[in-house]
Amino acid sequence: MKIFEPYSLEGTKLNNRIVMAPLTRCRAIDNTPNELMRTYYSQRATAGLIIAEGTSPSANGLGYARMPGAYTEAQIEGWKSIAEGVHENNGKIFVQLMHTGRVTSVLNLPENAEVVAPSAIHLQGEMYTDSKGMQPHDKPRAMTQDDIISTQDEFVNATKRLVESGIDGIELHSANGYLLEQFLDPKTNVRTDVYGGDYKNRARFILETAKKVTAAIGGSKVGIRFSPYGVFNDMSGDYKDIVEIYTYLAEELAKLGLAYIHIVDQRVAMNAPEFATDIQRTIKNAFKGNVIVGGNVHSAEQAEHFVNDGYDLVYIGRPFISNPSLVEKLKTNEELAVPDYDTFYTADEVGYTDYA
Ligand SMILES: Cc1cc2nc3c(=O)[nH]c(=O)nc-3n(C[C@H](O)[C@H](O)[C@H](O)COP(=O)(O)O)c2cc1C
């Protein structure tokens, strides 16, 4: 089957077309990647490509408890060790750069960090904190143009340092309602400067960031994740220029030679309604390069279906949690272990590195 064949991702040699989706697992005590995480990723290195969990390039972007960062010496050392572990097991690993923006409780942030977003629009609802349990999200401060530049610099610095440490590439997290998507969606971006308003302006922060990051390490080591029509973290789902904005992004990102566009299907596991248009195809046609799709894949046939449908790589998330040797199991049609949802975001090895 095609999904089990090697694939060149703009020069990164993958052993197969199965991608381990980014999965936040909250094991990075003090926001620093550790030996336990090295073991976890090494166990899963038979994925063609691992996209490691959302990792903040900035103290301001560490919205979740025990989410890893990539801006201190210790954090970069941690990622270096993880890259070594994955490479020793013949795998490849990108790190997903995720700035949570307004999806934050200050209790999860280090001292002197603050909640920033395109506009000062409060996300209703609560999130988990280690110190006080469930707490309301904190209202963000609208980013100034200086904040925009310094945040982009943080993305560039994290990217450079990760790649220097041996990580194979980075993915910009522009999905699921975090900072980058907060710029795209008119519900969370009501700016009146060149970063708000029409779709080209709302795409500007992402395109500038992508441009700076690709200038630093080359487009072939950079991917991006989008969740069009997504509603997670109170995003709009549909809005009037949604097709225009994603078409424009795909065309502009193609010019930067990005390694891939990764499209989350939030109809799976995240309660989004049916897509109003075939947005995945629109993005593929406009981008022309590699596109990763997936969601709810539990068999080789399901994965192969996406490749036969014209997409390039297939992401799989939750099954990788409970099946470290997932690729082998898919090949042999072995029954998959079901993940324990109660240990998705706990702090230790239980439900993390102890799956057979
Ligand atoms: C525990 C958990 C953590 C997740 N963390 C992230 C994340 O850090 N970044 C991201 O883009 N998506 C994240 N997702 C979404 C997954 O990458 C994936 O899109 C989703 O699980 C659907 O795929 P699946 O049906 O194969 O699990 C997470 C999902 C789960 C279940």
Side-chain angles (χ1 to χ4, degrees):
M1 296 173 92
K2 290 196 268 302
I3 47 152
F4 297 124
E5 288 168 14
Y7 190 78
S8 174
L9 183 65
E10 297 299 309
T12 301
K13 302 268 179 277
L14 311 183
N15 287 330
N16 54 67
R17 295 185 190 223
I18 294 172
V19 173
M20 179 177 164
L23 295 162
T24 291
R25 302 299 312 279
C26 301
R27 262 63 176 191
I29 311 297
D30 293 332
N31 308 114
T32 306
N34 51 37
E35 282 301 297
L36 183 64
M37 289 167 61
R38 175 183 169 136
T39 303
Y40 168 78
Y41 284 115
S42 301
Q43 288 172 339
R44 287 156 182 79
T46 49
L49 176 66
I50 291 172
I51 302 173
E53 66 206 83
T55 298
S56 183
S58 164
N60 296 341
L62 285 170
Y64 287 102
R66 287 165 273 113
M67 170 185 171
Y71 61 91
T72 70
E73 210 55 52
Q75 290 162 352
I76 298 297
E77 279 302 307
W79 283 116
K80 180 170 187 255
S81 172
I82 291 170
E84 282 165 6
V86 170
H87 292 157
E88 277 165 19
N89 287 281
N90 211 14
K92 294 283 159 53
I93 180 167
F94 277 36
V95 168
Q96 184 185 54
L97 286 182
M98 164 175 172
H99 189 308
T100 46
R102 70 174 190 152
V103 186
T104 304
S105 159
V106 285
L107 293 175
N108 287 336
L109 298 184
E111 258 177 62
N112 301 325
E114 59 172 334
V115 189
V116 292
S119 300
I121 298 174
H122 194 185
L123 172 60
Q124 301 304 310
E126 296 186 326
M127 73 190 310
Y128 178 79
T129 68
D130 274 339
S131 55
K132 292 196 176 162
M134 295 305 286
Q135 290 293 313
H137 301 109
D138 283 295
K139 190 176 176 188
R141 174 174 70 73
M143 292 166 80
T144 62
Q145 295 211 4
D146 283 349
D147 291 322
I148 285 184
I149 306 277
S150 61
T151 303
Q152 290 173 338
D153 288 345
E154 289 173 329
F155 274 90
V156 173
N157 288 334
T159 298
K160 276 195 203 152
R161 294 177 76 183
L162 284 167
V163 169
E164 279 162 18
S165 81
I167 291 290
D168 296 295
I170 64 100
E171 175 175 286
L172 296 171
H173 193 354
S174 187
N176 299 350
Y178 300 107
L179 182 72
L180 271 52
E181 196 188 8
Q182 290 161 25
F183 273 91
L184 291 183
D185 191 323
K187 189 173 183 180
T188 43
N189 180 351
V190 295
R191 299 178 69 94
T192 51
D193 64 2
V194 292
Y195 294 96
D198 69 21
Y199 70 84
K200 288 191 179 176
N201 277 356
R202 301 198 319 274
R204 189 181 307 275
F205 179 79
I206 291 171
L207 291 175
E208 283 181 359
T209 306
K211 205 170 188 174
K212 291 180 181 182
V213 163
T214 54
I217 60 162
S220 65
K221 290 182 187 299
V222 178
I224 193 163
R225 198 171 205 208
F226 291 127
S227 52
Y229 296 116
V231 293
F232 191 62
N233 286 319
D234 202 31
M235 291 287 98
S236 295
D238 204 353
Y239 46 86
K240 75 170 172 14
D241 50 10
I242 189 167
V243 173
E244 285 86 347
I245 203 166
Y246 282 105
T247 305
Y248 173 63
L249 283 163
E251 286 169 355
E252 293 300 307
L253 293 168
K255 293 179 193 163
L256 298 177
L258 248 59
Y260 64 82
I261 293 180
H262 186 178
I263 308 173
V264 190
D265 184 345
Q266 280 196 10
R267 291 171 299 184
V268 175
M270 288 164 131
N271 293 326
E274 235 353 89
F275 291 171
T277 67
D278 190 353
I279 196 76
Q280 297 182 331
R281 188 75 59 197
T282 302
I283 291 175
K284 174 71 188 168
N285 290 343
F287 183 60
K288 300 193 173 68
N290 296 302
V291 171
I292 309 177
V293 293
N296 231 353
V297 171
H298 294 93
S299 70
E301 284 69 31
Q302 287 173 305
E304 188 79 0
H305 172 77
F306 284 113
V307 176
N308 287 337
D309 209 21
Y311 299 100
D312 305 284
L313 300 168
V314 179
Y315 76 80
I316 306 185
R318 289 162 296 173
F320 261 114
I321 291 177
S322 45
N323 301 276
S325 53
L326 180 65
V327 174
E328 199 50 40
K329 285 191 178 178
L330 293 178
K331 265 186 199 161
T332 55
N333 235 340
E334 201 179 316
E335 197 177 332
L336 301 184
V338 177
D340 172 14
Y341 281 64
D342 291 343
T343 51
F344 274 8
Y345 306 114
T346 43
D348 59 15
E349 68 279 7
V350 178
Y352 191 56
T353 50
D354 58 356
Y355 286 105

